[in-house]
Amino acid sequence: MSVRLFNTLSGQQDEVTAADGDVLRMYACGPTVYDFGHIGNFRTFLQVDILRRTLKLTGMKLRHVMNITDVDDKIIRNATAAGIPIGEYTAKYTQAFLEDLASLQIEEPEILSRATEHIPEMTALVEKLAEAGAAYKTEDGSWYFRLAAFPEYGKLSKKDLEGMTDGARVDVDEYEKDSARDFALWKATKPGETSWETPIGPGRPGWHLECSAMAMKYLGESFDLHAGGEDLMFPHHENEIAQSESVTHKPFARHWFHVRFLLVDGRKMSKSEGNFFTLRDLLLKGYRASAIRLALISVPYRHQLNFTFDGLTEATNAIDRLRTFVERLKGATLAAGTTDELQAAAAKAEAEFVAALENDLNTAEARAPIFDLVRTVNAALDTGKVLAGDRERALEVLAKFDAVFAVVADNDAAPTAAALAWAEASGRMELVAPELLARQSITDAEIEGLIAERNNARKQRNFKRSDEIRDELAAKGVMIEDSREGVKWKRK
Ligand code: AMP
Ligand code: ZN
């Protein structure tokens, strides 16, 4: 198994390999912890998770670093407005981010590195850049990268960078202008702003500098793969390359992986448009974490994802189909042996699943054969043609699917409960959908009790009471199904 991915730098699909033949070293730009992450952010983190899990499925070992940007313009502005130190401000959102990763079954990288814990590495890099003639200090004590010192600037985004004027400067963390400017490496202290006393003077790091310093600290001067959302290609990643390669004269990252943006109903997600969602917003509307995960991963990373509530409902139904199938298969009484047809169907599904992921992480094509297999085995169960060895094989293929997709195993209760607890604690109960509250208002024991009562009512041919109970359960999101093995129930 070997994974081929589009490489922004080479402009073609390249095989992902570990240069040292052992551990794949990758860096993914992490969140700026100034607010709760939104589903666009999580689309990118989820696609990096799909990459991680796929590489692990191929047997690769990983050393994956993700930064937490815990100092930047927005953080300083918001912490100042709240009248608290930036550390206190960012601790809350860092914690929330890690919780959200867990809710979405996103594996934590091997190394999480906070920018504010790496100031010495950053100032040392500025000193090296100055020695190499690629950094200069301005009168106010800030440091800038001299673009003219790096003629290869623009090689990643392949932008036609008009108006590269020597000495034109930009000092904000985020900018989108096509014209390249000397950018801030280190910002001199401004009154009232957090700053550090360092050998290059007092101040704080620029955003771009963080990633170069931390990536090289943990992964070396040259490493295998660098990931992030498509908006980071320019200027952030160009700047990372310029800062690093001007000192090392070695390729910074060999492979660049960029995830395209998420749109909502075809439009950019923005607070003013009212189409801006955090993970908590969706959980409190009553959607399951697994459905949110599936909806955000099912469109391959190189395509824009148009998020819709219909898409979430489709994902919910798809997960139900998978979970119901696994339950049915596990519960079936089967004779020993295998059938050629089902063994072949399982092998085909497995091969197609793997091949689709190997082909630039095509998640849409990877899930299709799994649903085909479910259909085939379900049909065979209906006609009693499944043998125990077929069950084992089908479950094995589903487990492989879930090692990457992570939606079949039911881990949905905890994220929803945590979101509700958060809404209660922060006085945001208006975000909670009434259906969700109704659903949470019944315990498993109460459900079992009502089902027992319904069974009695049916025995006594009291169908009115039996129907009432079914309706009462349905209002609380509990679906019941009468089968030969008795009554089964599940929560919506
Ligand atoms: P930030 O916290 O703004 O630094 O962003 C964290 C990650 O989310 C970065 O990799 C961004 O490129 C990515 N990102 C931001 N907005 C979106 C979006 N709408 N769709 C996909 N990824 C996004
Ligand atoms: Zn970065």
Side-chain angles (χ1 to χ4, degrees):
M1 217 182 144
S2 69
V3 180
R4 276 166 288 110
L5 286 183
F6 182 79
N7 180 354
T8 311
L9 185 61
S10 70
Q12 61 182 34
Q13 270 196 20
D14 292 328
E15 187 181 332
V16 181
T17 55
D20 70 1
D22 182 25
V23 179
L24 187 110
R25 287 168 298 157
M26 65 184 258
Y27 186 91
C29 293
T32 306
V33 282
Y34 72 101
D35 204 342
F36 295 111
H38 58 67
I39 55 172
N41 300 137
F42 287 112
R43 172 184 207 207
T44 291
F45 298 124
L46 279 162
Q47 294 290 352
V48 172
D49 188 55
I50 295 294
L51 172 61
R52 245 192 91 82
R53 288 169 175 270
T54 300
L55 293 172
K56 280 170 63 181
L57 198 68
T58 70
M60 262 189 195
K61 281 184 268 172
L62 297 180
R63 184 172 170 83
H64 169 189
V65 180
M66 179 165 72
N67 63 298
I68 304 272
T69 298
D70 57 356
V71 53
D72 94 323
D73 297 344
K74 290 189 291 270
I75 291 171
I76 292 178
R77 194 182 58 219
N78 292 3
T80 307
I84 52 175
I86 64 165
E88 192 181 320
Y89 183 82
T90 57
K92 174 178 160 193
Y93 292 109
T94 304
Q95 179 62 27
F97 173 69
L98 297 177
E99 283 168 17
D100 288 351
L101 290 188
S103 293
L104 288 169
Q105 300 296 311
I106 298 175
E107 293 183 343
E108 263 191 37
E110 280 68 32
I111 298 167
L112 270 178
S113 61
R114 289 172 172 76
T116 54
E117 290 169 4
H118 295 80
I119 303 292
E121 287 83 352
M122 297 178 207
T123 58
L125 183 55
V126 174
E127 285 175 324
K128 284 190 200 152
L129 283 165
E131 273 165 39
Y136 60 92
K137 193 173 187 176
T138 52
E139 260 173 31
D140 72 338
S142 294
W143 286 84
Y144 284 83
F145 184 87
R146 188 192 308 282
L147 271 200
F150 192 66
E152 291 174 71
Y153 193 79
K155 67 179 173 182
L156 178 70
S157 57
K158 295 162 186 72
K159 271 180 185 273
D160 186 11
L161 295 164
E162 292 278 314
M164 262 226 214
T165 335
D166 193 17
R169 292 194 292 267
V170 56
D171 74 346
V172 289
D173 283 330
E174 288 181 70
Y175 60 97
E176 290 168 3
K177 294 200 186 64
D178 277 4
S179 64
R181 310 276 172 91
D182 288 1
F183 56 89
L185 296 163
W186 184 260
K187 302 182 187 198
T189 313
K190 289 196 190 121
E193 281 193 5
T194 312
S195 81
W196 283 263
E197 285 300 330
T198 76
I200 61 165
R204 63 179 174 98
W207 169 39
H208 313 297
L209 181 68
E210 294 172 14
C211 286
S212 290
M214 294 191 283
M216 291 197 284
K217 170 172 180 173
Y218 293 109
L219 301 174
E221 293 181 340
S222 207
F223 56 94
D224 299 312
L225 187 143
H226 195 311
E230 63 173 339
D231 59 320
L232 300 188
M233 202 186 295
F234 178 87
H236 182 54
H237 290 161
E238 291 286 3
N239 292 356
E240 282 189 42
I241 292 174
Q243 292 164 154
S244 310
E245 297 188 2
S246 295
V247 168
T248 66
H249 305 289
K250 293 180 192 156
F252 178 53
R254 293 186 299 125
H255 198 119
W256 287 83
F257 175 86
H258 288 111
V259 180
R260 291 209 67 187
F261 256 37
L262 170 140
L263 300 178
V264 176
D265 288 324
R267 289 174 302 154
K268 193 178 150 95
M269 185 167 55
S270 81
K271 288 199 169 139
S272 56
E273 294 246 13
N275 64 355
F276 180 96
F277 302 110
T278 65
L279 174 63
R280 281 144 218 259
D281 292 334
L282 298 182
L283 290 170
L284 295 176
K285 281 180 187 295
Y287 294 99
R288 297 183 205 144
S290 58
I292 300 166
R293 178 178 169 99
L294 187 62
L296 296 181
I297 62 181
S298 290
V299 173
Y301 80 95
R302 286 196 67 211
H303 293 267
Q304 240 170 19
L305 166 68
N306 188 28
F307 174 85
T308 62
F309 285 96
D310 285 347
L312 270 187
T313 305
E314 185 277 331
T316 306
N317 295 338
I319 290 170
D320 273 345
R321 222 173 310 145
L322 294 172
R323 290 183 184 170
T324 307
F325 169 71
V326 169
E327 224 173 90
R328 180 179 187 204
L329 192 56
K330 284 187 174 162
T333 310
L334 306 176
T338 58
T339 66
D340 289 348
E341 299 78 48
L342 292 181
Q343 293 295 312
K348 179 168 176 280
E350 184 176 30
E352 288 176 3
F353 167 72
V354 170
L357 288 176
E358 285 178 332
N359 180 17
D360 209 12
L361 299 184
N362 194 327
T363 44
E365 282 184 12
R367 59 176 261 183
I370 301 301
F371 285 89
D372 288 345
L373 179 66
V374 168
R375 213 169 300 123
T376 306
V377 179
N378 258 331
L381 280 168
D382 290 343
T383 50
K385 288 194 186 124
V386 183
L387 297 180
D390 300 328
R391 162 166 56 201
E392 211 171 292
R393 186 75 179 95
L395 290 175
E396 195 179 280
V397 175
L398 271 153
K400 200 163 190 177
F401 165 78
D402 220 36
V404 178
F405 275 63
V407 295
V408 181
D410 187 348
N411 297 300
D412 289 327
T416 300
L420 277 167
W422 170 78
E424 196 148 19
S426 59
R428 315 244 175 121
M429 289 305 279
E430 80 278 1
L431 295 177
V432 185
E435 304 88 77
L436 178 61
L437 279 182
R439 244 189 278 162
Q440 295 296 116
S441 67
I442 185 162
T443 64
D444 288 3
E446 286 163 345
I447 296 172
E448 300 285 357
L450 281 170
I451 288 177
E453 192 190 332
R454 178 170 172 271
N455 288 343
N456 275 334
R458 278 157 58 104
K459 265 189 215 134
Q460 290 154 18
R461 307 193 65 75
N462 181 354
F463 296 115
K464 184 165 165 281
R465 179 66 190 137
S466 149
D467 287 349
E468 269 170 21
I469 292 174
R470 176 187 280 269
D471 293 347
E472 184 179 340
L473 286 169
K476 292 185 171 165
V478 181
M479 313 314 279
I480 52 181
E481 196 190 315
D482 297 305
S483 74
R484 255 182 291 155
E485 296 92 45
V487 181
K488 288 188 187 150
W489 62 269
K490 65 175 188 240
R491 292 178 192 268
K492 233 203 291 185

